[in-house]
Amino acid sequence: MGRFTKRVGSFDSPHSIEDTLQVLFSGVAEQLSIPSPTVSEPGVEAGVHLSRLDSSGLTVIAGNKIDTYFMFYIDLTPTTGGCTGEAYFDRRMGAITRWMGNAMGLTGGLSLAFQRSSVRTRGWTIA
């Protein structure tokens, strides 16, 4: 991904990548159409689902086969004391015209999950 179109913030996790992925999933699960750590493709009907959940991070897509309302990325990098991560959307928050509440719920849910798990954020914005 590399280029941050709409950066949400970064974080430092004292946990392994595997444990941090569990924290990430718990932070986004409420916004998913089916709250399961299952990776899938958009369907005919619009929904919010995971399209990536692996050691490189997590991606959430809102939309259907035809229209993508937004994509939310978290990229992970291992460190000696756990891992670090960057979170960003594929577009500015103001350019999200459908399901903005879900977009805000993703960043807010992650913020709460981070607080519960001793993950430190840097420059984290919820909206």
Side-chain angles (χ1 to χ4, degrees):
M1 301 300 139
R3 189 166 169 253
F4 303 123
T5 308
K6 173 42 179 113
R7 189 170 184 274
V8 172
S10 57
F11 59 90
D12 294 308
S13 174
H15 310 290
S16 67
I17 293 250
E18 294 76 20
D19 288 347
T20 301
L21 284 169
Q22 290 179 16
V23 172
L24 295 178
F25 177 74
S26 76
V28 304
E30 267 188 40
Q31 300 305 316
L32 300 176
S33 297
I34 299 171
S36 165
T38 304
V39 172
S40 63
E41 295 295 319
V44 173
E45 290 189 22
V48 181
H49 66 276
L50 291 174
S51 67
R52 171 178 65 132
L53 181 64
D54 60 28
S55 62
S56 71
L58 171 148
T59 302
V60 175
I61 297 179
N64 60 34
K65 283 186 175 187
I66 307 301
D67 294 313
T68 299
Y69 305 156
F70 66 81
M71 296 174 74
F72 179 64
Y73 305 96
I74 300 177
D75 295 333
L76 295 175
T77 303
T79 63
T80 55
C83 63
T84 188
E86 296 282 341
Y88 52 99
F89 284 96
D90 67 332
R91 61 196 79 189
R92 292 179 300 101
M93 192 63 83
I96 297 174
T97 57
R98 301 184 93 178
W99 297 13
M100 165 131 1
N102 292 87
M104 291 171 36
L106 289 167
T107 59
L110 280 166
S111 180
L112 292 173
F114 288 158
Q115 289 173 22
R116 291 190 304 261
S117 305
S118 302
V119 174
R120 290 185 322 265
T121 58
R122 293 186 311 276
W124 197 264
T125 57
I126 293 180

